[in-house]
Amino acid sequence: MAKIQPPQPVRGTQSMLGEEADRFHAVVAAFDRVRRLFGFKRVEVPVLEQTAVFARSLGETTDVVSKEMYSFKDRSGDSVTMRPEFTAGIARAYLSEGWQQFAPLKVATHGPAFRYERPQKGRFRQFHQLDAEILGAAEPQADVEVLLFADQLLKELGLGETAVLKLNTLGDPETRRAWRDALHEHFQGHRDALSEESRERLERNPVRILDSKVHGDWPVIDSAPVIDDFLTSEAGEFFGAVTAGLDSAAVRWERAPRLVRGLDYYRHTAFEFMTDTLGAQGTVLAGGRYDGLVEALGGPHTPAIGWAAGIERLSMMIAAPEPERPEAVLVPLGERAQAAAVRLLADLRLRGIAIDMAYRGNMKKRMQRAAATGAGFALIIGEDELEAEAAQVKDLKTGEQRAVAFALLEASIRA
RNA sequence: GCGAUCGUAGCUCAGCUGGUUAGAGCAUCGGUUUGUGGUACCGAGGGUCGCGGGUUCAAGUCCCGUCGGUCGCCCCA
């Protein structure tokens, strides 16, 4: 009979156990803690959306939409997509779920997202993001709020030094248009010096040339016009208010004049927290103001700002968290003790004690297992202990052991 | 989508220029100690050498393909 092959995981997906899972959870727990401090409401949005939600909001020509989405027709023939990011789905919910009445609305969520990419360090096909958004707020205070949230989160994760905030402004539409035209003119003039990719970007989106990683492009990029010369007074004031907010909250930041966003609906503030510890994946948290997105989905003009962070990337950067361990492990010996142990376990767990049971092997094995969990105490119960209604409680660190009446176990573990 | 590199037990790896029954450590299970762990010793189980083809008297070892991991390009979280 042919033995069947055990299935392989889908490429770019992960299963986590032990330290990896602990790290992941530590990031999510910190996020949820800080989220509450900042008053961002917990929301849940679907993994599946109509394909149009992402196609319209991200732009049909972006890499994400044109070649990285997990899209398929469901059984009724509708084209649906597994979210490649959170913002579009939240914007959709803002429109379709009546969330507009709560504007300005501060929301946060986390979960899996999907992109069909070549996996590598810090890059997966199913990856997980933290996400924070403020919808319906045009004020620079919202930008500051969202940035302070990100900054405090990273500090609580112990990444205050390793992740650096790079900040830029893309100005308002008027600014952007003028700057874009100037860039086009500049790059057109140096066309021959540009790489092939950059020449392709020239007509479609000259702003993106600033992103180029081709070293040969850099001299031309360095001499390109800077946005500051094109900022309208409103846009300049807006950016000034954001940086002033950051400064008064003592958040360290660096101006990154070449930091841009490809999509047209981005306005004003754009930022990334960067690191050099993750190889090619330097961005650990990124976001910006997307005042044009809700309109692109057919809604009313709605200023908004938000960010997303990669949970896996943060997990890889933080110090290893303390592993979870039970407070005690029950070691029953013999059938009668086994039966009594189940009752004791249930009782202690109801009282909030984290306790496990070692039920396999001889006593030596059971003690080994108890010690291996990292528990503080082993509670030994055999025939003698049943008679006396008192367990032998062994402190696994000091090796000291004494009899403790069943009724007093909780107190002795807590002590 | 492109490039590089790797793929031997559950895990980490060793197997020299192709040559008899493929090894180690850790882990697992059992024992020395049938009621006491974190040490030591003894023993056991566990491998289609990723998969498929080819070269050869002979392939884990060479060649081709394929799948997967890793790293980079691209893109991004």
Side-chain angles (χ1 to χ4, degrees):
Chain A
M1 207 190 284
K3 223 175 132 186
I4 61 164
Q5 294 279 331
Q8 291 299 116
V10 172
R11 187 167 199 196
T13 63
Q14 318 169 77
S15 304
M16 299 176 222
L17 172 71
E19 184 181 319
E20 220 183 338
D22 289 341
R23 285 171 173 275
F24 189 99
H25 181 256
V27 171
V28 173
F31 173 69
D32 209 52
R33 208 164 53 233
V34 179
R35 186 217 100 224
R36 206 184 63 76
L37 295 176
F38 279 77
F40 281 68
K41 295 214 183 309
R42 187 68 236 247
V43 293
E44 295 292 343
V45 290
V47 168
L48 282 177
E49 293 280 355
Q50 292 178 13
T51 297
V53 169
F54 304 111
R56 276 195 223 150
S57 63
L58 301 179
E60 311 268 2
T61 60
T62 56
D63 278 8
V64 170
V65 171
S66 61
K67 49 192 187 196
E68 294 178 359
M69 293 206 305
Y70 278 91
S71 298
F72 57 94
K73 293 229 192 302
D74 68 13
R75 287 170 186 278
S76 66
D78 296 334
S79 179
V80 295
T81 295
M82 295 167 80
R83 65 180 173 214
E85 54 111 40
F86 277 83
T87 309
I90 290 172
R92 187 232 88 219
Y94 182 80
L95 291 173
S96 64
E97 306 301 317
W99 293 358
Q100 295 176 62
Q101 65 185 303
F102 303 115
L105 177 63
K106 295 157 71 173
V107 296
T109 188
H110 66 87
F114 303 83
R115 253 121 91 162
Y116 188 86
E117 291 189 282
R118 189 81 179 263
Q120 60 183 260
K121 186 175 189 178
R123 197 170 84 179
F124 309 94
R125 288 185 174 179
Q126 176 178 337
F127 59 106
H128 299 80
Q129 287 191 334
L130 309 173
D131 188 270
E133 315 279 352
I134 302 181
L135 296 113
E139 299 82 357
Q141 287 83 350
D143 303 52
V144 173
E145 181 84 336
V146 134
L147 278 160
L148 292 185
F149 181 178
D151 184 69
Q152 181 160 343
L153 170 64
L154 293 171
K155 281 177 178 154
E156 294 214 3
L157 289 171
L159 303 176
E161 301 303 315
T162 41
V164 183
L165 170 55
K166 309 273 190 180
L167 186 67
N168 196 19
T169 178
L170 304 174
D172 48 28
E174 189 183 334
T175 304
R176 220 177 134 97
R177 221 173 295 121
W179 183 45
R180 186 186 164 116
D181 290 347
L183 281 174
H184 184 266
E185 193 177 330
H186 171 80
F187 288 126
Q188 187 68 50
H190 297 81
R191 201 188 159 80
D192 297 341
L194 290 173
S195 63
E196 199 181 315
E197 296 125 276
S198 291
R199 279 203 297 271
E200 276 170 25
R201 285 167 172 166
L202 189 52
E203 295 311 322
R204 228 177 336 127
N205 199 342
V207 175
R208 299 279 280 122
I209 296 176
L210 299 177
D211 266 347
S212 173
K213 279 162 192 144
V214 181
H215 290 234
D217 288 346
W218 290 3
V220 185
I221 290 169
D222 283 339
S223 62
V226 289
I227 191 164
D228 292 21
D229 298 334
F230 299 88
L231 287 179
T232 60
S233 58
E234 291 86 4
E237 277 168 31
F238 190 95
F239 190 56
V242 173
T243 58
L246 292 176
D247 290 339
S248 66
V251 171
R252 287 206 342 240
W253 58 277
E254 287 173 21
R255 181 70 194 275
R258 295 204 305 236
L259 177 70
V260 293
R261 289 281 112 100
L263 313 177
D264 281 343
Y265 54 69
Y266 276 105
R267 311 281 154 78
H268 297 292
T269 317
F271 58 90
E272 290 182 17
F273 284 82
M274 308 279 284
T275 178
D276 54 13
T277 62
L278 289 178
Q281 269 60 243
T283 303
V284 86
L285 184 154
R289 182 164 274 283
Y290 50 92
D291 292 353
L293 190 152
V294 174
E295 258 177 297
L297 286 176
H301 175 70
T302 306
I305 181 163
W307 53 255
I311 298 180
E312 287 88 351
R313 290 183 185 179
L314 291 169
S315 298
M316 286 187 274
M317 293 170 70
I318 63 174
E322 274 293 302
E324 278 184 3
R325 52 189 57 171
E327 290 162 271
V329 174
L330 203 51
V331 179
L333 300 166
E335 267 177 48
R336 281 209 325 134
Q338 175 63 57
V342 174
R343 190 197 180 102
L344 264 181
L345 264 191
D347 183 49
L348 287 167
R349 284 170 174 163
L350 281 171
R351 291 163 190 270
I353 302 270
I355 182 166
D356 240 331
M357 176 162 63
Y359 49 78
R360 175 186 293 184
N362 58 25
M363 181 161 194
K364 181 187 165 81
K365 288 295 172 197
R366 294 179 190 217
M367 290 303 288
Q368 278 176 355
R369 286 179 186 283
T373 64
F377 301 94
L379 313 187
I380 301 158
I381 301 171
E383 288 296 329
D384 297 349
E385 287 74 23
L386 287 178
E387 282 308 313
E389 294 194 8
Q392 286 294 322
V393 175
K394 180 164 190 171
D395 185 319
L396 290 171
K397 285 182 193 71
T398 65
E400 286 167 32
Q401 183 171 323
R402 64 201 171 88
V404 175
F406 288 165
L408 300 175
L409 283 175
E410 180 190 352
S412 90
I413 292 167
R414 287 254 156 81

